Structure formats: structure tokens, C-alpha cells
Amino acid sequence: MFHPDLSRAGRGYSRSRSEHFFKRGRRVFPTGITRVTVDHEPSPLYISRGEGAYLIDVDGNRLLDLNNNFTTLIHGHGFLPVADAVADLLHRGTCFSNPTEHEITLAELLIERIPAIEHIRFVNSGTEAVMFAIKAARAFTCRPGVARIEGAYHGAYDWAETGQAVSPAIWSDPQRSSAVPAYRGMPPSVDEEVTVIRFNDVADLERRIAAAAPSLACILIDPMPSRAGLIAPEPSFLAAVGAIAKQYGILVVADEVLNLRQSYAGASARYGLLPDLVAAGKIVGGGFPVGAIGGREEVMRVFASDSGKPLLPQGGTFSANPVSMVAGRVAMEAMTETAFDSLERLGDSIRGGLRNEIERHGAAFSVTGAASLFRIHPKGKEPRDFREAYLEREEADLMARLSSHFLDCGILLPNGAAACLSTAMTKADGDAVIAAFADFLSILEANPTETGM
């Protein structure tokens, strides 16, 4: 078993091969990469292979992976049951224009587990899942508008992106949220159709929804918004979401693309939210591209074509492809209630260990998250919403240093996103995470003038 060597902290890793590939990449890709979420300062780490809880990059560096392709790989890398099932399938065909039994089997598994899902449709990504969930809400209610949580990430659909890229520069009134464009050239009409709400703020929710209710099709909510801080929902807030949606005939769309991994039945069930529609993805594909929209049968009827053209046509060349369906089924079957409980115990141990180190060092940090997810904040008080979690320049620089320190300790810690665990991780791996953080706090303690805190 490999354990990060803390004595290497600050020395850095060899990146010569990664730098070579980055130079090649810059010749063919804008900025040299194909995902804006890839850390490329000073250059990306190019990966050669994955082994369980670890990554091996092209320079031979071995890293404990707390990213797992942005929380997708709940079993880590090279999970043998999935690899064997997919290898067997490859010889019999990878995609067809006709349906296969595999899509039914995965659908049955998800419907059996997730209380809010009675019928389901498969797509190719989390972005597509959220997009079609919003469209389904529109088709069902005959309204165009979307309400969403400030700062939360919901993929790349215009109406799901607006309100994500907020910052203090545009917070003219601390008590109000703004629907700001996610990219230059976004049609102004999108902003007019999006209502942005502060998380865990019942008064803001009630005021904003009441004002926009006649045009709202849905309230789009991640039960624990990751990009917005991985902050726990307050029961009173989720109860208010359900009550006000029912009052005005608005559908609740739960984005569980990331947070489905929070329990056997998903995040909504964990926190008592009763959505009309659920968008899923990531772990549902077993490491292959996938998305899913599920919900009440009455609402999901907008996709039905029994009597002619559906109210909402939905297709996709690779939707419900057998590789993703088989890989997803095998991965999800292995995630029994016992497996979820075990992963949560490891998460509790790590979060508890990190908090103990914060207290021991008297450091201005806090930790949020649940189940197999955690996030470290350079804040002495645990944030309650995106504005409280927002990083000022010095705080962002400090978190970049933290990620760099973890890398020097042999651990890939996402910067500005949720860290996640996999079933391939051991308690020794969790202890290494805590030790790396303790080492970082010791460095800060010895050099307080460098922290800016």
C-alpha cells in the first residue's frame, strides 16, 4: 500500500512528460485542453492509467485520487466487475438504433431505489439530464421560467447556467440575487426567464418565487450544491421549497447528477425533499457517459409518443447505449446499502479528522460535506450559502496552495470543488488525507505572515 511521503512537501513532482503533452495540446486545443475544469497551472497532469484509488500520470507519479473524474467513479479506477462486463459486451456491439434489455434493467434498478422516480429516460450527460428535466417541466406546466439557487452548477444549458457566475462585483444589494449571463453573447431573454434564489434563505425564496410564480415552470435545486460550497440544506428551507412549489403549481427539479452518491436512495430522499423530477448522471454510468431524467409518471408522460408526437420529443444517438447501461447497472448493483454505509463511515472519519486538526491548530478553516463528499473552506465559520462560501483573492490563493501541497504529498485534491471518496479507498488512505492537511496547517503556523489570514 502506497502512503504519501510528507517529507516531499514543497519539492514538487516531475512534470516533463505532462509538459510535453501540454505543448502538443496547445497546438490543437484552445488553451491546450478540452475541459475548462481541468487545472492547467502550470500544466495539466496527463494520466497514464488508474488503479483503484490511485492515478499514475505519464511521468510515473502515483496519486491518491480525491477527484474521481469529478465524483463519477464511486468505485475508483479499473473496477473489475465493470471492466469484465464491458469487455464481454464489446464483442457483441456497442450501440444500436434499437433498444436493448440493458436499458430496462438499469431503469428498474433506479426506480426501485429512488422514491421520486416512477418513469425514467436516459440521455448522454448530466447537462442533458438537467436540460430535459427543465424542458419536461415547461411542457407539463406550459410556463417558460426557471428558478435556481445562486452559485450552484447545473451543467451548460443556458437557463441552468444563468446565476452561476455571480460575484461580489455584481451584488449591488446583499439581500438580492442577480441572474447574470454565464458567457458573453447569451441572449438577454434568458436572464429575464431565470429567478435566482439564495440557498437556505426562506424569506428570499418566498419573496422571489411569489414575484415570478405566474411564469415559473420549475425550481431547480441541488440538495447540497457542490460548486456553491457543498453546503448542507437546512430542513426548513427544503420544506419551504416543497410548500411554495405546491402553492403556485411549480415543479421541483432535483439535480442529483453529483449528489446521487449521497445515499442508496439519493440525496433528495436523504434530506426529505420530494421532487417532481430528478436529474441523475455520473455514478449511474459506471465510468461511461450517461444522464437520466426520472420522476412522477404523470410528469414523465410529456415524453410519451403513444398518441403521436410527444409534448417533448427527446432522442440522442448514444442515449441508453448498452455500454453505459451495462457499466451503470454493474456499478450500481455493487453499491449496496452496506457499501454506501461503509463509504459514509470513511467520509465521517475524514471530515472528523480534518476538523480535529483545525481545532488543534486554531486555524481559520472549516469543512462541509456529507456521505462520500467533503470540501475544505478557508473560513473560520462554516458557510451557509454561496455568498458566505465565496473566496476572496487571498482565500483563493491559499486554497491553490493547499491543493499544491496535497499534490506534493501524493494526493490529488480538487481546487474549488468537492473532494470525493471511492470504495477502493482504505482507512489508511483517509489517514493520509488528514496527515497532509495537518502538515499544511503546521507550515502555515510556522509562517503566519505568508497566509494573509
Side-chain angles (χ1 to χ4, degrees):
M1 177 62 65
F2 170 80
H3 298 287
D5 178 3
L6 296 181
S7 66
R8 294 182 301 188
R11 285 169 48 191
Y13 274 94
S14 167
R15 291 194 181 204
S16 59
R17 293 288 293 163
S18 282
E19 290 169 356
H20 164 75
F21 285 118
F22 190 39
K23 289 178 181 176
R24 287 179 57 187
R26 290 184 71 88
R27 298 189 193 110
V28 292
F29 305 129
T31 314
I33 53 177
T34 59
R35 290 189 287 183
V36 71
T37 48
V38 173
D39 180 14
H40 58 281
E41 297 294 338
S43 64
L45 291 178
Y46 285 77
I47 302 304
S48 172
R49 65 189 187 280
E51 296 176 354
Y54 290 84
L55 292 172
I56 296 87
D57 71 13
V58 293
D59 288 288
N61 302 309
R62 185 174 171 85
L63 307 166
L64 178 63
D65 189 7
L66 295 180
N67 189 306
N68 288 293
N69 195 29
F70 304 98
T71 76
T72 294
L73 301 170
I74 200 164
H75 296 295
H77 303 276
F79 184 56
L80 196 57
V82 168
D84 287 344
V86 170
D88 179 64
L89 183 69
L90 293 179
H91 297 284
R92 292 185 281 123
T94 59
C95 56
F96 313 101
S97 56
N98 296 77
T100 68
E101 179 185 356
H102 306 304
E103 62 200 68
I104 299 173
T105 306
L106 180 56
E108 289 171 339
L109 182 152
L110 295 173
I111 289 170
E112 186 276 328
R113 291 190 183 193
I114 304 169
I117 297 181
E118 296 174 348
H119 276 193
I120 196 167
R121 298 279 285 213
F122 289 111
V123 289
N124 298 296
S125 69
T127 285
E128 276 191 76
V130 171
M131 176 181 73
F132 275 109
I134 290 172
K135 288 186 173 185
R138 288 170 173 160
F140 186 79
T141 62
C142 293
R143 302 172 186 171
V146 175
R148 52 152 294 151
I149 301 300
E150 182 179 70
Y153 178 76
H154 297 291
Y157 184 49
D158 283 9
W159 289 266
E161 283 185 294
T162 296
Q164 171 190 318
V166 290
S167 70
I170 54 90
W171 291 340
S172 57
D173 180 349
Q175 298 305 313
R176 297 189 64 188
S177 300
S178 299
V180 296
Y183 62 91
R184 190 172 69 176
M186 178 181 281
S189 59
V190 174
D191 293 351
E192 297 166 4
E193 293 167 350
V194 176
T195 298
V196 183
I197 300 156
R198 295 186 68 175
F199 193 59
N200 283 332
D201 188 329
V202 173
D204 187 64
L205 168 77
E206 292 176 342
R207 180 175 65 253
R208 302 280 285 171
I209 295 297
S215 68
L216 287 180
C218 64
I219 300 173
L220 174 63
I221 180 170
D222 182 335
M224 184 179 276
S226 172
R227 191 74 65 84
L230 199 66
I231 296 163
E234 294 178 2
S236 59
F237 181 74
L238 292 187
V241 167
I244 201 164
K246 184 176 182 180
Q247 177 183 349
Y248 291 108
I250 302 166
L251 299 190
V252 175
V253 175
D255 177 357
E256 298 199 33
V257 171
L258 185 151
N259 275 305
L260 193 73
R261 64 161 43 227
Q262 286 222 19
S263 81
Y264 185 81
S268 293
R270 180 187 181 106
Y271 296 111
L273 181 67
L274 299 174
D276 299 284
L277 291 166
V278 175
K282 293 189 184 288
I283 68 168
V284 173
F288 289 85
V290 77
I293 316 101
R296 289 194 287 124
E297 181 178 358
E298 178 189 13
V299 178
M300 292 295 291
R301 287 292 300 170
V302 299
F303 293 104
S305 55
D306 307 66
S307 303
K309 184 179 179 180
L311 296 176
L312 174 58
Q314 175 269 318
T317 301
F318 291 98
S319 293
N321 74 85
V323 177
S324 295
M325 299 296 98
V326 167
R329 173 185 60 78
V330 173
M332 294 300 289
E333 284 177 344
M335 284 309 300
T336 61
E337 292 186 74
T338 300
F340 273 105
D341 290 343
S342 177
L343 206 50
E344 179 148 358
R345 284 194 298 273
L346 181 58
D348 288 340
S349 175
I350 293 173
R351 285 184 295 272
L354 296 173
R355 288 173 179 139
N356 288 340
E357 292 300 329
I358 290 169
E359 183 177 359
R360 185 167 71 88
H361 288 271
F365 284 84
S366 56
V367 179
T368 58
S372 57
L373 299 161
F374 71 90
R375 185 164 174 179
I376 300 170
H377 300 265
K379 313 272 187 181
K381 181 181 178 183
E382 188 174 310
R384 290 181 63 251
D385 73 354
F386 173 72
R387 294 191 185 189
E388 292 183 6
Y390 184 85
L391 299 182
E392 300 295 340
R393 177 62 181 271
E394 289 183 346
E395 294 172 324
D397 289 345
L398 182 60
M399 293 308 293
R401 287 177 56 197
L402 176 64
S403 292
S404 179
H405 177 83
F406 266 71
L407 185 62
D408 286 338
C409 293
I411 302 172
L412 190 65
L413 176 73
N415 185 15
C420 69
L421 314 180
S422 69
T423 60
M425 287 183 63
T426 64
K427 186 178 185 304
D429 295 325
D431 291 342
V433 172
I434 297 167
F437 184 58
D439 188 62
F440 182 74
L441 294 183
S442 295
I443 293 171
L444 293 187
E445 206 168 32
N447 303 277
T449 58
E450 296 182 11
T451 68
M453 301 296 287

